[in-house]
Amino acid sequence: MQILTKFIARLQITLGVLLLVIFLASTLIQVVTRYLGISVLWTEEVAVNSFIWAMFLGAAVMVRENKHFGFDVLTHYFKGTKRSILVIFQNLIMLIFCLLCSLYSVEITQAFWHSRWISIPEFRQGYVWLIMPITFISSSVYLLDNIYNEAKILSCFKGASWNLR
Amino acid sequence: MELAIITLLFITLIIIGIPIAFSIGIASLVGIGTMTGAPTTMIPMKMFYGLNSYVLLAVPLFVLTANIMNSGQISHRLINFSIALVGRKPGGLGHANVLVSMLFAGVSGSSTADTAGVGKILIPNMINKGYSREMSVGVTAASSTIGGIIPPSITMVIYGGLTNTSVGQLFIGGMVPGVLIGLGMMFVISIIARRDNLPVMEKISRAEFIALSKDAIPAMITPLIIIGGIVFGVFTPTEAAAFSALYAYLVSAFYYKSISLKDLPKIFTETLKLSCLSLFALAAASALGEFLGYYQINATVSNFFSGIGNNEYLFLFIIVAFFLFIGTFMDAIPAMVLFVPVIYPVALTLGVDPVQLGIVVIITLSIGLITPPYGLCLLIASAIGELSIDKSFKAVMPYISVIVLVLVAVIFMPFILLV
Amino acid sequence: GCSEDSAKSDTVKLVVAHNQTNLSSPYQTGMLKLKEVADKSGFFDVEVHAGTIGTNENELVEKLVLGGADMVLVSPGFMTSSGIDEVDLFSLLYLFNDYSHWEKVVDGKVGNDIADIIYTKSGEKYRVAAYWTAGVRHWYGKQPVNSFADVKGIKIRTQTSGVVSQYWKEIGAVPTSVAWAELYQALSSNVVDAAENAYPYFIPMEHHKTNNGKYISETGHDFTTRLLLVRNSVWEGFTNEQHAAFDQAVTEATKAERQALYSEESTYKQKAIDDGAIINTLDRTPFIEKAHSIQDQWAAKYGMTDVLETIRQTK
Ligand code: NA
Ligand code: NA
């Protein structure tokens, strides 16, 4: 499981960085072509769509790394078993949300699969929508992994108390 | 009533440690699902559209610029230059501290980077030179708030994205208030310097000064590219961000020779990881905006304001008081993401200028960076200076009064926003 | 028998949305009229959203499909991204001579035919309830336009969709994309030299007060069409009485929207003059001829030559 999530995360980050480079490049191209008096209309749409992909890919990986903004006072307040239970509970709530959003975003992606880009009508909007199911499904996998890992720690505590007896 | 249940749910989620973006998303999902009759599919759809805005691209691009510059050790160079420039005045290191924050603000879009980068060098330096801990921590924390006010500013891009306000105009609007805050803080320092007889830095030679300037000038050109580029029409804010990143790379690679192509993957990865956090929160906030839209909350809020007389100034003061309170325990971006969609339509109906509202909100929230319990700049500075939070807070008080004065000026004299 | 009774006692809730946050826009006037008339009939409970559930037209159409809105107002350019190419007819420049020509076409056979195409091609998801307008678009830039020579090499901010940008390219301008919110800044600082829009849109944004926006040339290249769409599943659920009440509300709303726009157009034109903008009219013949060849090409490609001919013959 951990090998798998690590692999997905690395893939997502690499792809995200690549897209970051693409939207940086298209923005630069936009300025340069404007100054050369050439009309290039696809730059903005390419840039925005790569940006959306990059940010959601990053956001999914941050779920795995547990870096999203939040208040962790309570998490730090508890120790040991109680803390593990709290962390599992947090991840479960997020998991329910991500699973629901996975379903919804599959539905959306199917509904608008054949929509087209405005500046490049040959491109399907569906490929852009695809980032939503990807984000929520991979986040769900990461959350499951986090829960599994925390549960292992939890069983260690239990194991420790068993050993003490 | 229903809204109270959703608010309660949201607060509970936050307290038990669910990340803000997810708490917002879940609250919106429950709200839309149970209260409005609109389909819950709207949630991921709205999150997608929350990021579907060209101007938001400026956020990762400005983060990228700052990351490239920082790995080029830009803080060191700006600090040495600032000391050389104003160090001879009484309280020279204090002045230099403010000046470097203003210069740094022109490169970086955020304040916390400033506190960490500059504070780590200047706080120990000041204490060594005979400044009190209070003074050293206070100046460092307070002056770093300028980071988000002098453009470029990530908070301004987020505000522009939330309200469809011109980011270019917000940037221009932030210039004068940002510089005024800096000058005001220097004024406070000169009063303290005379009272406490603060030390002066030793004179440096002309050759040394020229060498230090040469080191700092390429970095100081970054804000000129960004602001000059926007004002004189070379490019829009997003394009300016892309060019400043390119410029930062060229300077660091060929002038400072501090980074090479090898370093880029790491810099890009860090940029992605850092910027996606704010933007995912923004995406979730769009979903919340959707729920509030279906719930027609803005009608409720604007009814409240028309009930108290539709007064523009009263509205702005309530906004200031509200965000001062919110800012004590919340970061600027999540706070804006949560509440700007609610107050913005009301501001429009009251005839408040969107740029003025943005600057007021952003300056107010920058005060939150130095107020306990949760003010990141204050926390970082007090940790570096090994000073307790309450003493640190006391130390930033005089500077907060400067920010408040400028805030009042922005409310009553909006012409200083130059737009 | 009993189902009819319950349908009568229940009012149908309609979520109606457009993309303009400005509460005095003609869209809002039209939709408030729709609400007023529909609510009064006792059959409907209309909820109007002025940008509050989305300012992006793609998003509004997608909401219509998913059930997040029951009626939306969108421009034809966005419909083409849903794969309904024929709607792009209304994006063609110089298609209409004036408002009365436009009204005759959209309220007549052509309007009905396009509505049928949209209904079929949307997969019977939504249908056209009425045609509204966002005004007539003119050139405004750093210099007045009288001939093609005046647009040569000029960077103009315009829509990025096919036929519109094609036209500006063919007459020698350089179509450029700039976000609407950044356009004021872009005009005042030479990022672009010109733009094009209708008075009620660019005058409130004060574009005419910039150096690159103060010369307004009444090119009248686009008498714009906006589509008021209604979700088919909602529409099909109406009883006969509800249909009648709905049609009446739509008719009155449409009248109100067009009227509001026509009067705003003259108000804002006057404001432009008072503010010192310089307005000129021009001989539009060469511009119209150029547009006609693009129209012909487009119509041949999408099998719309007959429709185009009908529009040209309509007087
Ligand atoms: Na800044
Ligand atoms: Na705070």
Side-chain angles (χ1 to χ4, degrees):
Chain A
M1 185 85 166
Q2 201 134 35
I3 298 168
L4 178 74
T5 56
K6 200 173 171 183
F7 174 74
I8 306 174
R10 188 169 291 172
L11 196 71
Q12 284 183 321
I13 283 291
T14 313
L15 189 58
V17 167
L18 200 70
L19 290 160
L20 196 78
V21 174
I22 290 179
F23 78 70
L24 172 63
S26 6
T27 305
L28 294 174
I29 291 173
Q30 174 159 308
V31 182
V32 172
T33 52
R34 189 170 62 229
Y35 275 86
L36 297 176
I38 308 167
S39 178
V40 177
L41 293 169
W42 50 265
T43 46
E44 199 168 304
E45 206 171 7
V46 168
V48 170
N49 287 334
S50 334
F51 162 78
I52 295 175
W53 262 74
M55 291 305 122
F56 278 117
L57 285 172
V61 178
M62 292 299 97
V63 169
R64 177 172 186 263
E65 297 185 8
N66 200 13
K67 293 266 175 63
H68 282 282
F69 299 137
F71 289 85
D72 44 14
V73 183
L74 204 62
T75 321
H76 285 306
Y77 175 78
F78 288 121
K79 297 274 176 302
T81 318
K82 277 183 186 155
R83 185 182 175 282
S84 290
I85 291 172
L86 178 66
V87 170
I88 290 175
F89 182 62
Q90 291 166 350
N91 281 301
L92 268 176
I93 292 179
M94 289 162 71
L95 179 64
I96 294 170
F97 175 74
C98 286
L99 286 174
L100 285 172
C101 284
S102 304
L103 280 177
Y104 303 148
S105 38
V106 167
E107 189 185 322
I108 297 172
T109 311
Q110 277 175 340
F112 305 119
W113 183 251
H114 292 290
S115 296
R116 292 175 294 186
W117 288 31
I118 291 169
S119 62
I120 317 175
E122 294 79 15
F123 284 14
R124 276 188 192 165
Q125 191 63 15
Y127 297 134
V128 189
W129 279 115
L130 205 54
I131 186 58
M132 301 312 288
I134 289 177
T135 303
F136 286 114
I137 292 170
S138 60
S139 297
S140 304
V141 173
Y142 295 145
L143 288 166
L144 272 173
D145 189 36
N146 291 354
I147 292 170
Y148 175 72
N149 292 332
E150 202 62 45
K152 269 200 307 205
I153 299 173
L154 192 64
S155 67
C156 278
F157 291 131
K158 291 240 173 78
S161 55
W162 269 68
N163 286 342
L164 276 179
R165 263 205 305 186
Chain B
M1 178 58 208
E2 292 139 327
L3 205 59
I5 297 171
I6 293 293
T7 314
L8 197 68
L9 170 71
F10 174 70
I11 293 171
T12 314
L13 291 170
I14 293 279
I15 289 174
I16 62 171
I18 306 288
I20 295 177
F22 285 86
S23 304
I24 297 175
I26 294 164
S28 317
L29 180 63
V30 172
I32 287 193
T34 59
M35 275 154 211
T36 69
T40 39
T41 13
M42 294 296 113
I43 297 291
M45 181 177 165
K46 197 66 194 191
M47 291 180 77
F48 178 91
Y49 275 107
L51 295 194
N52 191 7
S53 156
Y54 187 58
V55 77
L56 289 179
L57 273 68
V59 173
L61 294 176
F62 281 133
V63 172
L64 180 63
T65 308
N67 278 351
I68 293 175
M69 280 284 185
N70 270 344
S71 46
Q73 297 222 312
I74 184 184
S75 347
H76 265 284
R77 296 167 212 269
L78 290 178
I79 288 168
N80 290 338
F81 172 74
S82 302
I83 293 174
L85 205 64
V86 293
R88 295 281 301 153
K89 289 187 178 174
L93 274 182
H95 290 291
N97 197 327
V98 176
L99 182 64
V100 76
S101 290
M102 291 166 73
L103 296 175
F104 200 84
V107 178
S108 146
S110 82
S111 300
T112 43
D114 180 18
T115 327
V118 177
K120 231 175 265 164
I121 306 164
L122 267 185
I123 293 176
N125 200 344
M126 285 176 80
I127 294 172
N128 278 341
K129 292 272 161 29
Y131 291 79
S132 67
R133 268 175 207 282
E134 282 80 0
M135 175 84 189
S136 316
V137 169
V139 176
T140 305
S143 64
S144 58
T145 56
I146 301 172
I149 301 170
I150 288 183
S153 159
I154 286 171
T155 43
M156 287 179 191
V157 178
I158 300 280
Y159 176 87
L162 287 168
T163 61
N164 223 356
T165 305
S166 162
V167 174
Q169 290 183 338
L170 287 166
F171 278 9
I172 295 168
M175 283 191 309
V176 174
V179 171
L180 283 180
I181 290 173
L183 294 179
M185 287 180 176
M186 286 181 165
F187 179 71
V188 170
I189 292 168
S190 50
I191 293 176
I192 300 177
R194 217 172 307 150
R195 188 191 68 195
D196 297 355
N197 208 4
L198 289 175
V200 171
M201 297 298 284
E202 55 276 14
K203 202 171 161 53
I204 58 162
S205 75
R206 209 184 151 78
E208 263 181 300
F209 183 76
I210 291 172
L212 286 174
S213 309
K214 261 189 173 164
D215 239 14
I217 281 172
M220 282 159 34
I221 291 175
T222 320
L224 292 184
I225 294 180
I226 295 166
I227 297 309
I230 293 170
V231 173
F232 295 110
V234 188
F235 27 54
T236 62
T238 308
E239 295 166 355
F243 264 88
S244 67
L246 179 67
Y247 173 78
Y249 172 71
L250 294 177
V251 166
S252 308
F254 299 108
Y255 186 86
Y256 293 142
K257 298 196 170 62
S258 51
I259 64 168
S260 67
L261 274 177
K262 280 205 313 283
D263 303 318
L264 285 185
K266 188 165 171 269
I267 293 176
F268 273 94
T269 307
E270 277 168 11
T271 303
L272 178 69
K273 286 185 170 183
L274 191 66
S275 41
C276 74
L277 297 177
S278 310
L279 288 161
F280 188 68
L282 182 102
S286 309
L288 178 77
E290 181 85 350
F291 162 59
L292 296 175
Y294 279 114
Y295 205 75
Q296 303 202 304
I297 188 77
N298 46 5
T300 318
V301 179
S302 64
N303 281 343
F304 166 75
F305 278 102
S306 55
I308 56 172
N310 267 344
N311 184 311
E312 183 189 336
Y313 295 115
L314 184 61
F315 170 76
L316 285 173
F317 276 110
I318 291 176
I319 294 301
V320 168
F322 177 73
F323 279 105
L324 266 182
F325 169 69
I326 294 294
T328 57
F329 58 87
M330 211 168 186
D331 266 334
I333 290 173
M336 285 201 312
V337 149
L338 265 178
F339 298 107
V340 166
V342 182
I343 60 159
Y344 179 70
V346 182
L348 279 190
T349 45
L350 287 178
V352 177
D353 178 55
V355 175
Q356 187 191 15
L357 176 70
I359 303 290
V360 164
V361 167
I362 285 158
I363 297 179
T364 309
L365 284 171
S366 74
I367 297 176
L369 289 166
I370 48 173
T371 51
Y374 180 78
L376 266 184
C377 293
L378 189 74
L379 293 179
I380 297 169
S382 64
I384 298 171
E386 293 168 2
L387 191 71
S388 71
I389 299 289
D390 52 315
K391 279 186 183 157
S392 305
F393 181 52
K394 222 182 235 166
V396 295
M397 284 295 222
Y399 308 101
I400 290 183
S401 61
V402 171
I403 306 179
V404 171
L405 274 179
V406 173
L407 198 52
V408 172
V410 171
I411 292 174
F412 287 106
M413 302 185 288
F415 58 84
I416 64 170
L417 304 178
L418 308 177
V419 285
Chain C
C2 68
S3 68
E4 211 165 30
D5 280 348
S6 65
K8 260 183 196 165
S9 61
D10 274 352
T11 55
V12 179
K13 188 180 167 193
L14 290 179
V15 174
V16 178
H18 62 85
N19 71 341
Q20 296 290 314
T21 46
N22 171 10
L23 291 178
S24 63
S25 80
Y27 291 179
Q28 182 72 359
T29 309
M31 291 200 166
L32 289 180
K33 188 60 156 184
L34 184 88
K35 176 179 171 59
E36 181 197 319
V37 179
D39 285 6
K40 209 167 61 193
S41 75
F43 293 119
F44 297 102
D45 173 18
V46 177
E47 193 178 290
V48 178
H49 287 276
T52 36
I53 59 166
T55 54
N56 181 316
E57 293 186 314
N58 264 337
E59 181 184 348
L60 291 180
V61 176
E62 282 155 8
K63 285 215 165 103
L64 189 70
V65 172
L66 293 176
D70 302 311
M71 291 179 84
V72 297
L73 189 68
V74 291
S75 55
F78 286 93
M79 303 291 306
T80 59
S81 68
S82 336
I84 313 178
D85 292 307
E86 290 83 349
V87 193
D88 224 14
L89 173 75
F90 293 124
S91 305
L92 291 170
L93 302 187
Y94 289 113
L95 187 65
F96 303 109
N97 309 323
D98 48 38
Y99 280 122
S100 95
H101 184 206
W102 175 78
E103 286 197 4
K104 272 182 203 144
V105 170
V106 296
D107 295 340
K109 182 175 179 309
V110 173
N112 281 334
D113 290 350
I114 299 285
D116 288 343
I117 293 174
I118 291 176
Y119 173 63
T120 315
K121 282 222 168 177
S122 72
E124 308 190 353
K125 292 260 169 49
Y126 45 83
R127 44 174 78 234
V128 178
Y131 294 97
W132 291 9
T133 179
V136 52
R137 294 168 84 104
H138 300 300
W139 160 287
Y140 57 99
K142 66 175 180 183
Q143 63 197 40
V145 169
N146 285 299
S147 67
F148 290 155
D150 300 324
V151 300
K152 184 126 193 71
I154 294 281
K155 285 175 284 185
I156 181 170
R157 184 268 185 190
T158 183
Q159 287 150 301
T160 52
S161 67
V163 286
V164 176
S165 60
Q166 189 195 348
Y167 171 80
W168 292 106
K169 261 186 214 163
E170 286 196 13
I171 67 166
V174 183
T176 306
S177 111
V178 171
W180 180 245
E182 300 301 331
L183 186 52
Y184 176 88
Q185 194 61 36
L187 283 166
S188 45
S189 60
N190 301 318
V191 170
V192 289
D193 309 312
E196 48 88 38
N197 221 312
Y199 285 117
Y201 289 85
F202 73 91
I203 302 295
M205 299 292 281
E206 307 202 322
H207 291 171
H208 63 297
K209 290 185 177 169
T210 66
N211 272 338
N212 286 358
K214 68 177 171 195
Y215 291 99
I216 302 169
S217 297
E218 295 201 320
T219 45
H221 51 270
D222 191 2
F223 286 84
T224 54
T225 306
R226 295 293 176 265
L227 305 129
L228 181 63
L229 303 172
V230 55
R231 190 144 52 88
N232 190 46
S233 58
V234 171
W235 189 86
E236 279 185 338
F238 292 167
T239 62
N240 286 340
E241 293 97 323
Q242 283 171 336
H243 270 295
F246 179 77
D247 289 347
Q248 197 203 345
V250 167
T251 309
E252 287 193 33
T254 302
K255 215 159 84 190
E257 194 270 344
R258 292 179 187 174
Q259 216 46 59
L261 185 111
Y262 300 155
S263 85
E264 274 213 344
E265 209 141 60
S266 46
T267 312
Y268 280 113
K269 180 175 175 177
Q270 189 54 48
K271 185 174 185 320
I273 295 169
D274 295 345
D275 289 344
I278 299 142
I279 303 179
N280 75 301
T281 51
L282 56 145
D283 175 19
R284 306 189 306 158
T285 321
F287 293 88
I288 294 173
E289 277 166 8
K290 192 63 133 188
H292 272 200
S293 72
I294 295 180
Q295 291 171 7
D296 292 337
Q297 284 168 30
W298 180 88
K301 186 172 171 193
Y302 294 103
M304 299 282 283
T305 309
D306 293 348
V307 178
L308 183 62
E309 211 39 54
T310 315
I311 294 175
R312 287 179 183 167
Q313 295 309 321
T314 307
K315 286 275 148 45

